[in-house]
Amino acid sequence: MAPSNILDHYQISPTTGFLSTEPSLIRVPEYYSKWERICSELPALIQRGQIVITVDQLPLCSTEWLQSEPEWRRAYVLLGFIANAYLWGPEKPADRLPANLSIPFIAVSSHLGIPPIPTFAGQNLWNIKAIDPNQPMHNPANIAALVSFTGAPDESWFFAVPAAIEVRGTPIIPLALEAFDGASSDKPGRVIDCLNQIAGHLEGCTDLLPRMYERNDPHFFWNRIRPFLSGTHVPPKLPEGVFYEEENGEGNYQLFKGPTAAQSSLWQFVDIVMGVEHRPTADKKAAGHAVSKSSGHDNQFLQVKMSVG
């Protein structure tokens, strides 16, 4: 299969890579308006200590009114931010998610093929917009976050820089596929040319990374943003994980790692192409949940490349 056909098959854009070519959805259907309202007020609810009582009063919403993939993704973004605000907003972290939040979160995550916990996809790929749609998105100054825990420019910039790197690294994907094709057809010159071009794009991605310091104060990040990027397994605060409640009061404790740029589909793809293998450094009990948090189509694409490589 030609590289362009492979990208089309797995819904990977030749211009934005693992970011969707469609703008991130701004709102889900009116039925889910309470989710939207909470996220629009999230910084204030956290600051006033009202996030838990507000979420506890939510009705249990069915996911049957979600139709398009952008709607499912938007729902995942909303529920992910609400969930981690609920868990990490109080002075003492919560160790349970109520059924009115956990049930739709699990359903939406299952549809998308990712765990019911905030991930890189939900915070960096599906939670951004171009400030000027006519300008390129490999410049983080042209990217803004749609939902945030603090409402601060620092947090929006924290999500924008990795998203810009994803866009900047997009040419790596078809070049790597072309290199695989060259290797399989015994054309070393073609492989070398592709690898040289890939090296140039990797340098371009690396050049973007220091820009994180331009608008993201380290002190603000560590004290105000970082706590909300935790997962559900954070000893000693959550040694048993978080209890995801079901409608009948039953449920299960879940152990998930929080969102991290290591979940980037682009960099997992680069690792696969270059034969880089990682070993879990966390405890084995939770490590299995942290292997891949790529979205459904992205993860299928990565699995195919692992089998080919």
Side-chain angles (χ1 to χ4, degrees):
M1 187 182 295
S4 59
N5 293 336
I6 294 175
L7 297 183
D8 288 342
H9 180 75
Y10 290 101
Q11 300 179 16
I12 299 170
S13 166
T15 55
T16 58
F18 294 104
L19 272 75
S20 174
T21 53
E22 301 178 22
S24 298
L25 196 68
I26 303 300
R27 295 188 67 84
V28 283
E30 182 63 24
Y31 175 75
Y32 306 102
S33 61
K34 287 185 171 60
W35 297 352
E36 293 281 3
R37 182 182 60 79
I38 288 179
C39 281
S40 69
E41 301 173 1
L42 202 56
L45 291 172
I46 294 171
Q47 191 71 21
R48 295 197 300 259
Q50 297 177 336
I51 183 63
V52 171
I53 190 172
T54 302
V55 172
D56 284 342
Q57 294 172 351
L58 277 174
L60 174 58
C61 293
S62 166
T63 58
E64 65 177 312
W65 304 109
L66 297 170
Q67 301 297 323
S68 67
E69 285 303 292
E71 289 178 353
W72 284 97
R73 291 174 178 176
R74 175 65 177 177
Y76 173 79
V77 170
L78 297 175
L79 292 169
F81 272 88
I82 294 172
N84 263 29
Y86 187 95
L87 294 175
W88 297 101
E91 184 174 345
K92 180 182 179 181
D95 62 358
R96 58 174 285 277
L97 285 181
N100 57 357
L101 180 56
S102 67
I103 290 176
F105 196 16
I106 290 172
V108 169
S109 300
S110 176
H111 173 87
L112 294 170
I114 46 182
I117 190 72
T119 60
F120 181 86
Q123 294 188 343
N124 297 81
L125 303 186
W126 305 335
N127 183 43
I128 58 169
K129 67 175 181 179
I131 297 172
D132 182 350
N134 297 316
Q135 296 298 316
M137 289 185 70
H138 57 69
N139 178 6
N142 190 39
I143 297 175
L146 298 173
V147 182
S148 73
F149 297 105
T150 65
D154 300 66
E155 186 177 355
S156 183
W157 189 254
F158 176 73
F159 296 141
V161 172
I165 291 173
E166 290 278 327
V167 177
R168 178 62 184 84
T170 293
I172 294 172
I173 304 171
L175 283 169
L177 297 178
E178 187 176 344
F180 272 115
D181 188 57
S184 64
S185 56
D186 195 22
K187 296 179 180 178
R190 184 179 172 192
V191 174
I192 292 171
D193 179 61
C194 289
L195 291 176
N196 283 331
Q197 291 187 63
I198 288 173
H201 291 298
L202 289 173
E203 288 181 4
C205 293
T206 303
D207 290 341
L208 278 173
L209 190 56
R211 296 196 62 186
M212 181 65 76
Y213 292 96
E214 290 180 13
R215 306 183 190 180
N216 185 20
D217 178 72
H219 179 80
F220 184 88
F221 167 77
W222 185 255
N223 290 284
R224 294 288 306 280
I225 301 172
R226 181 66 187 89
F228 292 105
L229 305 180
S230 300
T232 62
H233 184 241
V234 187
K237 295 180 179 179
L238 297 174
E240 300 300 322
V242 169
F243 187 79
Y244 282 57
E245 191 177 79
E246 298 174 4
E247 196 168 5
N248 57 8
E250 298 180 357
N252 295 286
Y253 279 93
Q254 301 285 356
L255 304 174
F256 296 119
K257 297 298 183 183
T260 166
Q263 297 164 1
S264 159
S265 299
L266 174 65
W267 296 110
Q268 292 188 33
F269 173 73
V270 170
D271 282 347
I272 292 169
V273 170
M274 299 302 172
V276 177
E277 296 185 6
H278 296 277
R279 295 289 182 265
T281 55
D283 59 285
K284 295 180 180 179
K285 188 176 181 181
H289 297 283
V291 173
S292 177
K293 301 258 186 68
S294 304
S295 61
H297 284 287
D298 298 350
N299 196 37
Q300 293 169 20
F301 172 71
L302 294 175
Q303 294 298 325
V304 169
K305 293 318 299 170
M306 286 179 71
S307 64
V308 172

